[in-house]
């Protein structure tokens, strides 16, 4: 067997990045390694979900009022477990937990990061073999190192993120993470169990032809959004139109596709749900960070997602995210006074 030494693993990549920062402690690399380890364990269970009795409801309802699936519980436990036993994370917030979890032991209190995550996003798709994913966000704590973290460490605007990432458990398994320096994707090579650099320096194409939205809710959207959707459908061939509508119902996959190919993803406010459906801290803020670093834009329809000051960990927000030119065109319909 020939070994391809041009392949760079996640560990090799993060260690190489460290060389650019002589004062770096390696804590962030450790945290990313921990997330990668938990994701590999989740991947194994996702792959055999059809074979063993791990499908179906766990019987409880999470803090969002949604039914919790067994794999959600498993995934949550994996991420909590690796971060608790690692040396980089002082506490976590999870979409599956009512409150933040402060690790509060000597090693954890001396860690400088907190992590927020949605352990298994798109869980309604688990039973039907559609791609699902994990989304995570890393902040530097604002309370002094050496003390237990508090809610203030988690309630930070997205612009303060140090890193954010996601994993897709799909036709292949990919881990994508962003720091301010760039966005890079690592595909899991199952033959060696390593994340290998497959998508270096991801850039979001400024223009695209894909729009992703739940059409079933069309008449619940505000007028400007409905107008923009009609515009996408009526684009002339000379403008690349009509645009293609693609909506998996698994945000991780929808936004990943649009990040690579160019496109826009929208989860607008609904008549009876002004905050929309998606969670600011577990879904929107990390994706806004990743997409902005890659050159795209993300707003709630009024302001940048990254500028929103969260008031509680489970808050929701409308989301518009994707290619810069598409976002600008959308904005001309939802905020006509600004154009
Ligand atoms: P969940 O994890 O509860 O299944 O939610 C998935 C999210 C997101 O990933 C997806 O884009 C959106 O919900 C789909 O919601 P709709 O079915 O309302 O379109």
């Amino acid at each position: 067997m020939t070994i391809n030494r041009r392949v760079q693993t996640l560990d090799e990549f993060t260690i190489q990045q460290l060389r650019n920062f002589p004062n770096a402690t390696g804590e962030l690399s450790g945290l990313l390694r921990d997330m990668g380890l938990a994701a590999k364990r989740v991947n194994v269970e996702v792959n055999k979900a059809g074979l063993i009795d791990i499908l179906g409801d766990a019987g409880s309802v999470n803090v969002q009022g949604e039914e919790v699936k067994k794999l959600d519980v498993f995934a949550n436990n994996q991420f909590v477990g690796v971060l608790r036993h690692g040396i980089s994370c002082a506490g976590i917030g999870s979409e599956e937990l009512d409150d933040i979890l402060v690790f509060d032991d000597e090693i954890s209190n001396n860690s400088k990061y907190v992590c927020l995550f949605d352990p298994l996003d798109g869980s309604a798709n688990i039973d039907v073999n559609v791609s699902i994913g994990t989304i995570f966000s890393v902040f530097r704590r604002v309370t002094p190192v050496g003390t237990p973290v508090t809610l203030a460490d988690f309630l930070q605007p997205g612009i303060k993120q140090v890193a954010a990432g996601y994993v897709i458990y799909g036709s292949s398994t990919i881990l994508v993470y962003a720091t301010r320096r760039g966005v890079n994707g690592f595909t899991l090579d199952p033959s060696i169990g390593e994340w290998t650099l497959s998508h270096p320096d991801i850039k979001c194409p400024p223009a695209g032809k894909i729009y992703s939205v739940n059409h079933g809710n069309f008449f619940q959207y505000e007028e400007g959004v409905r107008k923009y959707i009609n515009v996408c459908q009526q684009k002339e061939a000379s403008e690349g139109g009509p645009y293609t509508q693609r909506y998996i119902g698994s945000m991780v996959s929808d936004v990943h596709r649009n990040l690579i190919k160019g496109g826009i993803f929208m989860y607008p406010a609904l008549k009876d749900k002004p905050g929309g459906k998606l969670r600011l801290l577990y879904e929107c803020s990390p994706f806004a960070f990743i997409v902005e670093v890659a050159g795209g834009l993300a707003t709630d329809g009024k302001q940048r997602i990254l500028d929103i000051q969260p008031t509680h960990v489970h808050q929701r927000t409308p989301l518009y995210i994707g290619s810069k030119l598409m976002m600008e065109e959308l904005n001309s319909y939802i905020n006509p006074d600004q154009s």
Side-chain angles (χ1 to χ4, degrees):
M1 190 173 96
T2 49
I3 296 172
N4 182 357
R5 281 311 305 161
R6 281 179 306 169
V7 167
Q8 198 173 23
T9 68
L10 176 64
D11 283 350
E12 287 170 336
F13 182 84
T14 54
I15 288 166
Q16 200 176 74
Q17 297 291 306
L18 264 183
R19 297 218 174 103
N20 298 318
F21 298 94
N23 298 326
T25 59
E27 263 188 71
L28 183 61
S29 309
L31 196 151
L32 291 167
R33 191 172 50 240
D34 292 344
M35 294 304 284
L37 173 62
K40 282 192 226 174
R41 291 178 179 156
V42 172
N43 186 54
V44 170
E45 296 307 315
V46 168
N47 281 336
K48 63 185 186 192
L51 301 173
I52 55 171
D53 182 27
I54 201 159
L55 281 175
D57 303 338
S60 57
V61 168
N62 75 7
V63 67
Q64 318 288 339
E66 299 154 336
E67 237 169 31
V68 176
K69 303 278 182 177
K70 284 182 189 175
L71 266 178
D72 294 24
V73 177
F74 176 84
N76 189 57
N77 291 343
Q78 293 308 314
F79 287 103
V80 171
V82 290
L83 293 173
R84 188 196 287 277
H85 294 117
I87 57 157
S88 314
C89 185
I92 61 102
S94 164
E95 195 206 299
E96 295 302 332
L97 302 177
D98 293 2
D99 297 312
I100 59 166
L101 188 58
V102 179
F103 293 150
D104 196 10
D105 56 67
E106 200 185 331
I107 292 176
S108 301
N109 288 345
N110 279 306
S111 305
K112 59 177 180 228
Y113 297 114
V114 295
C115 189
L116 292 123
F117 52 82
D118 180 350
L120 217 48
D121 183 69
S123 52
N125 288 320
I126 291 174
D127 292 3
V128 288
N129 283 52
V130 171
S131 300
I132 46 182
T134 298
I135 311 167
F136 64 93
S137 173
V138 181
F139 287 94
R140 185 169 286 116
R141 58 186 296 173
V142 292
T143 52
V145 168
T147 63
V149 282
T150 72
L151 194 55
D153 296 303
F154 296 86
L155 295 182
Q156 299 192 54
I159 193 73
K160 301 272 188 191
Q161 284 171 101
V162 172
Y166 60 87
V167 181
I168 303 178
Y169 311 100
S171 48
S172 59
T173 304
I174 184 167
L175 184 156
V176 175
Y177 84 89
T179 63
R180 267 168 220 292
R181 297 173 63 83
V183 185
N184 291 281
F186 301 81
T187 299
L188 184 62
D189 179 344
S191 64
I192 53 170
E194 288 280 1
W195 299 105
T196 52
L197 182 62
S198 53
H199 295 64
D201 198 20
I202 295 171
K203 298 283 182 222
C204 182
K209 297 177 188 170
I210 300 171
Y211 71 102
S212 309
V213 68
N214 184 337
H215 255 288
N217 292 332
F218 184 83
F219 292 104
Q220 295 209 49
Y221 301 148
E222 62 169 282
E223 195 189 350
V225 175
R226 283 184 277 136
K227 276 188 186 160
Y228 177 70
I229 292 173
N230 287 335
V231 164
C232 291
Q233 295 165 333
Q234 289 163 17
K235 284 275 178 197
E236 299 293 333
S238 58
E239 299 172 287
Y243 287 173
T244 297
Q245 201 271 350
R246 290 277 181 269
Y247 189 73
I248 299 170
S250 204
M251 176 192 187
V252 188
S253 305
D254 277 317
V255 180
H256 174 71
R257 181 200 51 239
N258 295 359
L259 174 66
I260 303 292
K261 291 183 179 267
I264 189 168
F265 174 92
M266 302 178 271
Y267 206 108
L270 306 174
K271 273 183 190 152
D272 56 342
K273 290 184 188 153
K277 175 183 183 186
L278 304 176
R279 277 61 57 147
L280 173 63
L281 289 175
Y282 307 116
E283 293 165 322
C284 303
S285 186
F287 266 119
F289 183 83
I290 296 162
V291 168
E292 284 211 6
V293 171
L297 296 173
T299 76
D300 68 353
K302 298 269 175 270
Q303 62 175 327
R304 253 174 111 198
I305 291 287
L306 296 181
D307 288 338
I308 300 175
Q309 172 61 55
T311 52
H312 58 97
V313 282
H314 293 292
Q315 86 188 61
R316 295 175 195 258
T317 175
L319 175 68
Y320 304 91
I321 187 165
S323 293
K324 187 167 181 286
L325 296 175
M326 295 180 90
M327 286 289 294
E328 285 169 0
E329 187 170 18
L330 164 75
N331 196 49
S332 70
Y333 288 95
I334 58 179
N335 293 302
D337 47 314
Q338 288 175 10
S339 23

